Amino acid sequence: MIITIAGDIGAGKSTVAGILSRELGFKNYSCGRFQRKIANDRGVPILVLAEIAKTDPTVDEATDRWQVEIGKKEDNFVMEGRISFHFIPDSYKVYLAVRPEEGGKRVFKSKRPDEQANTTLQLTMENNRTRREAELYRYKTTYNLDPTDKRNYDLVIDTTDIPATEVARRIIEGMRKHPHRT
């Protein structure tokens, strides 16, 4: 069983993926961690890498190849990434939604070292919006794909008012009920 988790910025994708991995005994992969490594290797913050990726296709190409290879070679893992469902089409596809204000609060509170530009909640929300717009533009122009279209997913959960453990429980329950997944 392969689970791909996409969703809004600050929806809890990484947290939920970690819970699922522990609960199910699955490996946990993250496109965000992979891209943070690329940013670190290039010596730039993740927000700058998102801008670079607008004109440098090697950022997305590396991430795409990485996901496809894992999807071909492995089973029993969780892949967290906004368009992972596209690159691993036989996965159980989950979308986590969150209201922008709550997503902004979560990102601001996380204080990730590579997101030092998020010095206030308002600035964090603006950075989230800018990042989302840049990503949606890239996905549309590169792949003709809208990862926010809920029809792409087997399960959609609004995480705004529920804890990550409950989100993970709902995903496990949903995948067990899904007719063509084992």
Side-chain angles (χ1 to χ4, degrees), residues 27 49 61 65 90 160 170:
K27 289 184 181 177
L49 185 70
E61 289 167 356
R65 277 192 311 276
D90 291 331
T160 302
R170 290 182 189 184

Side-chain angles (χ1 to χ4, degrees), residues 139-155:
Y139 302 146
K140 180 68 175 165
T141 58
T142 304
Y143 310 102
N144 194 28
L145 183 67
D146 179 0
T148 64
D149 182 345
K150 307 309 186 282
R151 294 175 294 180
N152 292 316
Y153 303 95
D154 300 308
L155 180 65

Side-chain angles (χ1 to χ4, degrees), residues 27-48:
K27 289 184 181 177
N28 180 356
Y29 295 105
S30 166
C31 291
R33 280 194 307 264
F34 186 81
Q35 289 205 333
R36 281 178 168 77
K37 182 185 177 323
I38 292 172
N40 188 51
D41 291 349
R42 292 184 179 201
V44 298
I46 192 70
L47 294 172
V48 172

Side-chain angles (χ1 to χ4, degrees), residues 80-99:
E80 176 234 325
R82 284 198 226 300
I83 58 174
S84 296
F85 72 91
H86 175 73
F87 292 104
I88 308 173
D90 291 331
S91 62
Y92 182 69
K93 302 166 187 72
V94 178
Y95 188 90
L96 302 182
V98 68
R99 285 192 304 267

Side-chain angles (χ1 to χ4, degrees), residues 62-79:
T63 306
D64 301 347
R65 277 192 311 276
W66 175 74
Q67 292 178 83
V68 169
E69 284 302 309
I70 291 171
K72 286 180 180 177
K73 293 179 180 178
E74 297 188 30
D75 196 12
N76 297 326
F77 65 87
V78 179
M79 175 68 76

Side-chain angles (χ1 to χ4, degrees), residues 85-122:
F85 72 91
H86 175 73
F87 292 104
I88 308 173
D90 291 331
S91 62
Y92 182 69
K93 302 166 187 72
V94 178
Y95 188 90
L96 302 182
V98 68
R99 285 192 304 267
E101 301 79 21
E102 179 62 22
K105 287 177 189 176
R106 292 175 184 176
V107 171
F108 181 66
K109 285 181 186 177
S110 73
K111 302 283 186 207
R112 287 182 173 162
D114 58 348
E115 293 182 2
Q116 293 173 352
N118 293 331
T119 55
T120 67
L121 176 57
Q122 185 62 37

